[in-house]
Amino acid sequence: MDGDSSTTDTTQLGITGEYMTGGTYVLQTQDDDGDESFNDHEDGNGSKDYFREQDIYLPIANVARIMKNAIPQTGKVISGNFKIILILCIKCVQECVSEFISFITSEASERCHQEKRKTINGEDILFAMSTLGFDMYVEPLKLYLQKFREAMKGEKGINPVAVSEGLGEELTDDSFTGQLPAGLITADGQQQNVMVYTTSYQQIPGVQQIQFS
Amino acid sequence: MSAKNMEKVEQATNRKNISLPMSRVRLIMKSSPDVSCINQDALFLTTKATELFVQHLALSSYKNGSGKETNTLSYSDLANAAEESETFQFLTDILPKKILAREYLKSLEEMEKDADNL
């Protein structure tokens, strides 16, 4: 399998449909109109009204921003060499994210049931992460939780439920404050400059960043 | 919400340092079977963990990937990470490896040949 992503050979980039998945899974791209609706796979005929568990995703802009900030400064996130397929790569991560949340939640939920409790609490989540191989997250998460609680206590005169509902708003165009130029090489070899819009990514001073080896 | 409250919420958002909507995370959590109540700590931890997960996945895939020289992260990098890393094993169904059609057809032919030879 050719793993060279800088090739401009169109036959290898899959435009002509030469790439095929090994199993029955098919990646769909034409359904996406960039809309951050809950049900990203809504049938065009409008015949599906229910949300399937696997269809609920976190907004693509938020996911894209986190990915972009994670890889080193000059890195870019693409799949193949096309802007259109850029969305595909991020959509895949969106699905992974939903899978991750379900993964952790069902583990935590099971523990709750075993202990005859109805409410999933913080400990359950942390324990689930440890069990499932994400124990490297646990210590930093405890620190973040501490900061979160302190910040919540500082909100006097505001309904804490209303505050938590307002947190982490989905990104709209107004939220974009910073711009980063990003270069993309398209299939015909021409360099294209694309502006990547980001908001500033907050880092908590004093919380050690996790080293992912 | 009043304008003053909106402003306070915005400041609060920056202080609380998360960049994913908790309401959406709650929706995904509740779509798991047998989940009744989720307390606020649990919701925050899951949201924050999800951010860390995205960073982790993107960075791991990028570092082990073939695009380091060209500074790119591609789908194959993600698929490789799912297969090779124990932590990301649960993603193998969602991130299948792609193969060239002609290779797939070739392996199909070989399988048929084997079947004929039996």
Side-chain angles (χ1 to χ4, degrees):
Chain A
M1 188 178 81
D2 180 12
D4 179 12
S5 51
S6 64
T7 182
T8 54
D9 180 357
T10 56
T11 56
Q12 288 182 353
L13 287 172
I15 316 165
T16 52
E18 283 210 354
Y19 270 113
M20 235 180 84
T21 54
T24 54
Y25 186 89
V26 173
L27 302 171
Q28 299 186 31
T29 54
Q30 59 265 34
D31 294 324
D32 178 45
D33 61 356
D35 185 13
E36 294 166 6
S37 59
F38 285 127
N39 194 347
D40 284 356
H41 291 276
E42 193 166 25
D43 191 346
N45 295 330
S47 57
K48 292 198 178 87
D49 283 339
Y50 55 88
F51 299 139
R52 295 179 304 168
E53 180 187 305
Q54 62 267 39
D55 291 342
I56 308 173
Y57 306 125
L58 295 176
I60 198 166
N62 301 61
V63 173
R65 188 181 62 148
I66 299 175
M67 286 176 75
K68 181 77 176 73
N69 284 324
I71 61 184
Q73 273 305 310
T74 50
K76 36 192 193 286
V77 178
I78 66 170
S79 175
N81 284 340
F82 289 85
K83 262 195 285 188
I84 296 167
I85 312 182
L86 160 73
I87 301 292
L88 176 61
C89 198
I90 299 173
K91 277 194 86 65
C92 289
V93 174
Q94 260 186 317
E95 292 179 30
C96 293
V97 160
S98 292
E99 188 70 17
F100 171 76
I101 294 173
S102 300
F103 197 39
I104 300 286
T105 305
S106 52
E107 182 69 27
S109 172
E110 211 180 284
R111 185 162 179 244
C112 264
H113 272 281
Q114 281 172 4
E115 299 182 2
K116 305 269 198 298
R117 280 182 290 117
K118 287 210 170 131
T119 306
I120 301 179
N121 61 32
E123 278 305 310
D124 297 324
I125 298 290
L126 291 175
F127 188 79
M129 279 190 227
S130 248
T131 312
L132 296 172
F134 295 99
D135 43 74
M136 69 292 254
Y137 296 179
V138 172
E139 287 310 315
L141 281 176
K142 285 184 183 166
L143 286 167
Y144 279 118
L145 182 62
Q146 212 172 30
K147 299 269 174 183
F148 175 73
R149 281 176 173 159
E150 282 165 23
M152 290 292 271
K153 266 188 216 153
E155 305 304 326
K156 290 183 181 157
I158 299 180
N159 181 354
V161 173
V163 170
S164 67
E165 285 304 297
L167 289 177
E169 290 296 325
E170 293 175 33
L171 297 180
T172 62
D173 285 339
D174 293 343
S175 330
F176 293 121
T177 53
Q179 293 180 12
L180 293 174
L184 281 181
I185 299 178
T186 61
D188 57 6
Q190 289 182 333
Q191 180 128 17
Q192 216 182 55
N193 281 315
V194 175
M195 298 306 287
V196 176
Y197 295 90
T198 71
T199 63
S200 58
Y201 191 66
Q202 305 283 344
Q203 304 284 351
I204 295 183
V207 175
Q208 189 180 22
Q209 295 305 307
I210 302 176
Q211 299 302 317
F212 298 126
S213 55
Chain B
M1 243 198 292
S2 70
K4 196 177 174 201
N5 265 352
M6 282 288 273
E7 202 182 282
K8 284 192 179 174
V9 167
E10 215 175 88
Q11 288 172 6
T13 307
N14 291 338
R15 269 203 297 277
K16 289 178 186 65
N17 194 49
I18 58 174
S19 40
L20 294 169
M22 299 218 297
S23 51
R24 193 73 71 87
V25 173
R26 183 195 279 122
L27 202 71
I28 300 174
M29 291 177 84
K30 283 193 107 65
S31 72
S32 260
D34 297 331
V35 168
S36 44
C37 292
I38 305 163
N39 93 353
Q40 199 176 59
D41 282 355
L43 183 57
F44 171 77
L45 285 172
T46 307
T47 307
K48 196 62 195 169
T50 306
E51 279 179 41
L52 298 178
F53 172 75
V54 175
Q55 290 176 305
H56 188 185
L57 179 60
L59 196 55
S60 282
S61 307
Y62 176 79
K63 280 188 167 173
N64 293 326
S66 52
K68 257 160 60 182
E69 290 87 50
T70 51
N71 278 326
T72 57
L73 174 71
S74 69
Y75 174 84
S76 355
D77 297 333
L78 293 174
N80 284 330
E83 191 173 292
E84 283 155 28
S85 159
E86 215 179 285
T87 318
F88 298 127
Q89 284 275 304
F90 72 103
L91 296 171
T92 43
D93 286 341
I94 304 184
L95 296 172
K97 287 206 171 180
K98 294 193 284 190
I99 62 174
L100 291 171
R102 59 172 174 266
E103 284 177 10
Y104 179 71
L105 293 172
K106 208 165 83 174
S107 64
L108 261 187
E109 278 174 26
E110 279 165 17
M111 286 198 294
E112 277 166 23
K113 259 191 230 152
D114 291 342
D116 287 342
N117 288 340
L118 286 172

